[in-house]
Amino acid sequence: MRVEIWSDIACPWCYVGKARFEKALAAFPHRDEVEVVHRSFELDPGRAKDDIQSVVTMLAGKYGMSEAQAEAGEENLGAQAAAEGLPYRTRGRDHGSTFDMHRLLHFARERGRQEQLLDLLYRANFAEERSVFDDDERLVELAGAAGLDPDAARGVLADPEAYAAEVRADEREAARLGATGVPFFVLDRTYGVSGAQPAEVFARALSRAWGERPRLRPVEGGSGATDGRDGRDARDGGDGGEVCGPDGCAVPQR
Amino acid sequence: MRVEIWSDIACPWCYVGKARFEKALAAFPHRDEVEVVHRSFELDPGRAKDDIQSVVTMLAGKYGMSEAQAEAGEENLGAQAAAEGLPYRTRGRDHGSTFDMHRLLHFARERGRQEQLLDLLYRANFAEERSVFDDDERLVELAGAAGLDPDAARGVLADPEAYAAEVRADEREAARLGATGVPFFVLDRTYGVSGAQPAEVFARALSRAWGERPRLRPVEGGSGATDGRDGRDARDGGDGGEVCGPDGCAVPQR
């Protein structure tokens, strides 16, 4: 089963929601058969890379709230994070573009290090003093800590087109699936869960989606596998498609 | 709608099947909303990179057929290819490992050039004299012709782990879906078509899958979008997940 999670590094509920989802996943009996894929979603896609503000100033300016209200919001989020055992600096965090971090996360996915890098990016953004914004060497350092080759990460960051198409494709896909906010969880493209729901909601979603895993249906005239899980040889089904397999290329008798 | 096509560059039916599928896709009214993703499948995954044989010798050795029988098989495949307007050298082709080509196709996908590169790899393998096997510079040249940066392609080929995890993940996924041969077409993870079927079968599969595009179902307690296509704001649905959106991070009243 595949769970896709759309999120942004700058999204506090994504940071909290990931921990809640993982609590449910850790208790899920079929957890070893669940593949988790993190997908890109920018809350502030128009922001230039060098346009950095403090979170509180950004919130106050964008939503017309007082800085005290913005700080209270951060305190509230910090308490929610703490309840999941997550560190959260409620004062002094920055806000900026996350586009390059998303590009790096796609690179990390390709190297099997996406989960590690995302955790480190969240931790760096929400709990550590040094800003993650407009600081390629900071991201290179985090990539290295996630097990990626630092030079390769530096190369990705230096090339603005590297993995940019994948970030944008994820964002188009989110819109198509009806997500306007994050975190947004999609299980086998069948069930959707929006928001940092309690772990029990994720547990229910996992069970339900597991019980209804889609089975491929063959198109008549085609010999598609009728059931992806019964181990049947797709070449034996249906009326004989022209396929190549480990035993050579069959030429069906018609 | 997403169509995933598992194939191997060394698979004649994949080369032919791609053309047949594309004929159906070109006539499909919703073709602009179809995303095609090519996935990796090696017919001969254990083969070392420098282990190259002529196709005819390989077929004769592996299946105990005479070289004349193997040549007749190639003639038959060449005729099927010609019927789709595809060039095919029936004599003198090589057989070897396609792992590096699959890695390069994943790199190309990330740069939006997968389709172009796959077409060039097929053409090179099936129709051109110079072998594509164990010749990194040949692949770099094809990558360049597909619009990729030759140095970046060279870097991918030089690093045996680059995109290797993605190739293996595709192959595991194929097994999970019940595919033991290629080409194998999966439409929105709902319908499967195995083999180089006639274009009419692909046309039927496209229509059917289009009519039954999956709609996300919300998990109760979660506010997942109920329908990926009606543009509803996922934040308004259900009982209020904790999400961040373009308008900030909502804290639901519970």
Side-chain angles (χ1 to χ4, degrees):
Chain A
M1 188 165 66
R2 167 182 278 208
V3 179
E4 295 162 289
I5 309 176
W6 274 265
S7 55
D8 193 3
I9 298 96
C11 158
W13 287 125
C14 300
Y15 178 49
V16 171
K18 184 175 191 289
R20 293 181 182 168
F21 170 77
E22 283 168 359
K23 197 188 284 181
L25 184 62
F28 183 59
H30 308 287
R31 62 186 168 275
D32 292 341
E33 291 170 77
V34 176
E35 179 198 12
V36 176
V37 178
H38 295 283
R39 300 213 175 271
S40 306
F41 190 106
E42 293 164 279
L43 289 173
D44 197 355
R47 186 169 285 263
K49 187 173 176 177
D50 61 358
D51 182 5
I52 300 168
Q53 282 183 296
S54 89
V55 164
V56 165
T57 306
M58 179 276 293
L59 290 172
K62 190 164 176 186
Y63 306 113
M65 55 176 78
S66 69
E67 296 221 343
Q69 284 173 312
E71 282 171 5
E74 281 288 283
E75 293 290 346
N76 180 11
L77 287 163
Q80 299 276 347
E84 301 302 329
L86 300 171
Y88 196 101
R89 282 177 79 220
T90 56
R91 302 289 164 98
R93 291 200 307 111
D94 275 348
H95 177 74
S97 168
T98 56
F99 191 68
D100 282 357
M101 294 179 235
H102 285 296
R103 295 197 296 113
L104 206 55
L105 282 164
H106 276 283
F107 167 66
R109 179 176 166 213
E110 173 234 301
R111 304 291 170 115
R113 297 277 164 187
Q114 191 184 49
E115 195 76 43
Q116 292 89 331
L117 180 61
L118 181 56
D119 283 337
L120 289 169
L121 287 170
Y122 276 139
R123 192 63 62 119
N125 182 46
F126 289 111
E128 291 168 21
E129 194 162 344
R130 184 170 163 192
S131 177
V132 288
F133 298 104
D134 198 18
D135 183 350
D136 283 2
E137 281 309 305
R138 174 66 170 140
L139 299 184
V140 166
E141 194 179 274
L142 293 167
L148 293 161
D149 175 51
D151 287 336
R154 194 174 286 115
V156 168
L157 291 167
D159 174 1
E161 281 313 302
Y163 302 91
E166 300 227 335
V167 174
R168 294 188 192 110
D170 278 359
E171 294 182 331
R172 279 196 306 273
E173 192 76 3
R176 198 180 73 75
L177 290 167
T180 57
V182 282
F184 191 74
F185 300 75
V186 174
L187 295 81
D188 263 349
R189 292 285 166 119
T190 305
Y191 282 103
V193 179
S194 175
Q197 300 283 349
E200 309 83 74
V201 174
F202 291 119
R204 192 154 66 230
L206 286 166
S207 297
R208 200 164 297 177
W210 182 263
E212 297 178 25
R213 280 163 299 157
R215 279 151 173 73
L216 283 189
R217 282 172 283 168
V219 171
E220 283 145 51
S223 60
T226 50
D227 181 333
R229 283 166 197 85
D230 64 7
R232 257 183 54 188
D233 185 337
R235 298 175 68 198
D236 296 338
D239 65 358
E242 292 161 331
V243 296
C244 299
D247 297 328
C249 297
V251 181
Q253 310 302 318
R254 292 198 165 168
Chain B
M1 188 165 66
R2 167 183 276 209
V3 179
E4 295 162 288
I5 309 176
W6 274 264
S7 55
D8 193 3
I9 299 95
C11 158
W13 287 124
C14 301
Y15 177 50
V16 171
K18 183 173 190 290
R20 293 181 182 168
F21 170 77
E22 283 168 359
K23 196 188 285 181
L25 183 62
F28 183 58
H30 307 285
R31 61 185 169 277
D32 292 340
E33 291 169 75
V34 176
E35 179 198 10
V36 176
V37 179
H38 295 282
R39 299 215 176 271
S40 306
F41 190 106
E42 292 165 278
L43 289 173
D44 196 355
R47 185 170 285 262
K49 187 174 176 177
D50 61 359
D51 183 7
I52 300 168
Q53 282 183 296
S54 90
V55 165
V56 164
T57 306
M58 178 276 292
L59 290 172
K62 191 165 176 186
Y63 306 114
M65 56 175 78
S66 68
E67 297 222 342
Q69 283 172 313
E71 282 171 4
E74 281 288 283
E75 293 290 346
N76 180 11
L77 287 162
Q80 299 278 345
E84 302 301 329
L86 300 170
Y88 196 103
R89 279 177 80 221
T90 55
R91 301 290 165 96
R93 290 201 307 110
D94 275 348
H95 177 74
S97 169
T98 56
F99 190 69
D100 282 357
M101 293 179 236
H102 285 295
R103 294 197 297 112
L104 206 55
L105 283 165
H106 277 281
F107 167 66
R109 178 174 166 214
E110 174 234 299
R111 304 291 170 115
R113 297 277 166 187
Q114 191 184 49
E115 194 76 44
Q116 291 90 332
L117 180 61
L118 181 56
D119 283 337
L120 289 169
L121 287 170
Y122 276 140
R123 191 64 63 118
N125 182 45
F126 288 112
E128 291 168 19
E129 194 162 343
R130 184 171 163 192
S131 177
V132 288
F133 298 105
D134 198 19
D135 183 350
D136 283 2
E137 282 308 306
R138 174 65 168 142
L139 299 183
V140 166
E141 194 179 275
L142 293 167
L148 293 161
D149 174 51
D151 286 336
R154 195 174 286 116
V156 168
L157 291 168
D159 174 0
E161 281 312 302
Y163 302 91
E166 299 228 333
V167 174
R168 294 187 193 111
D170 278 359
E171 295 181 330
R172 280 196 305 274
E173 192 75 3
R176 200 181 72 74
L177 290 166
T180 57
V182 282
F184 192 73
F185 300 76
V186 175
L187 294 81
D188 263 349
R189 292 285 166 119
T190 305
Y191 282 103
V193 179
S194 176
Q197 299 283 349
E200 308 84 71
V201 174
F202 291 118
R204 193 154 66 228
L206 286 166
S207 297
R208 201 167 296 176
W210 181 263
E212 297 178 25
R213 281 164 298 158
R215 279 151 174 72
L216 283 189
R217 282 172 282 168
V219 171
E220 283 142 51
S223 60
T226 51
D227 182 334
R229 285 165 195 83
D230 65 5
R232 257 184 53 186
D233 185 336
R235 298 175 69 198
D236 296 337
D239 66 357
E242 292 162 330
V243 297
C244 298
D247 298 327
C249 297
V251 181
Q253 308 305 316
R254 292 201 164 164

